[in-house]
Amino acid sequence: MIIRMAKEKDAKKIAAIMVDSWQKNFKGIVPEEVLHGMDPVKTSKVINKSINNGNIFVAVQENKVVGFVGVGENRIKECPKWEAEIQAIHVNYDVKGSGIGTQLLEKALTELKNRKYKVVGLSVFESNPANKFYKKHGGYLVGKHQKNMSEENLIENLYEFQL
């Protein structure tokens, strides 16, 4: 498996992985109408912008994109000292637990460190089992915030990484 910077031709596959991941991993966490309303075509347009900015990396196994990580500016106002944010990390459901997520997280942290960032963060739904993953890999829980989705207030844990 290799991890490389995403290319425009990867956008549709990245979008498909993201939508599938949300629909499978966040069932019972995120309102059903949000999950059912996700559109890979619209998602791929947003992803293309991040690809063009050099902010998405993909995991490729046997010539197939099987996961991705996106980095970018900090969107979490409750954590103004974060210099950047890991905005998304998803892998194909059938390769979940194989270490690809760990490699993608490490790639994101290395890339952000190379960009001279010292403090980065990410947010994770409070009831998402991935909280254990981020703690295991050095994330420090520094707070919580509410995210409104379909008129439901969801709690997200805020993790910080010192680079």
Side-chain angles (χ1 to χ4, degrees), residues 1 3 59 69 89 91 95-110 133-134 136-137:
M1 194 215 32
I3 296 178
V69 62
I89 183 167
V91 298
V95 296
K96 196 173 170 183
S98 66
I100 294 171
T102 298
Q103 291 179 57
L104 286 166
L105 178 62
E106 289 170 356
K107 175 64 175 175
L109 294 172
T110 299
F133 172 82
Y134 294 111
K136 176 182 171 186
H137 290 90

Side-chain angles (χ1 to χ4, degrees), residues 11-137:
K12 288 181 181 175
K13 183 60 180 171
I14 293 167
I17 290 170
M18 184 171 180
V19 169
D20 185 63
S21 179
W22 269 69
Q23 290 175 339
K24 289 179 178 166
N25 293 313
F26 300 151
K27 189 174 181 73
I29 297 172
V30 171
E32 285 293 317
E33 65 188 61
V34 171
L35 298 177
H36 291 299
M38 294 184 78
D39 180 3
V41 174
K42 287 180 184 173
T43 302
S44 69
K45 290 177 184 174
V46 174
I47 287 169
N48 258 327
K49 184 177 176 184
S50 290
I51 288 172
N52 291 332
N53 291 333
N55 288 332
I56 297 185
F57 300 87
V58 293
V60 180
Q61 195 171 53
E62 297 175 11
N63 294 318
K64 292 181 183 177
V65 174
V66 295
F68 74 95
V69 62
V71 299
E73 66 182 52
N74 175 22
R75 304 168 297 179
I76 308 294
K77 292 176 181 29
E78 293 90 341
C79 295
K81 74 176 188 174
W82 289 0
E83 299 165 324
E85 181 185 349
I86 298 171
Q87 297 177 342
I89 183 167
H90 296 279
V91 298
N92 275 351
Y93 199 76
D94 57 342
V95 296
K96 196 173 170 183
S98 66
I100 294 171
T102 298
Q103 291 179 57
L104 286 166
L105 178 62
E106 289 170 356
K107 175 64 175 175
L109 294 172
T110 299
E111 179 65 27
L112 292 168
K113 185 175 184 176
N114 290 342
R115 294 180 187 185
K116 307 297 184 211
Y117 295 117
K118 296 188 181 342
V119 182
V120 301
L122 58 81
S123 60
V124 182
F125 291 117
E126 183 177 54
S127 51
N128 184 343
N131 281 279
K132 291 182 214 167
F133 172 82
Y134 294 111
K135 287 179 187 174
K136 176 182 171 186
H137 290 90

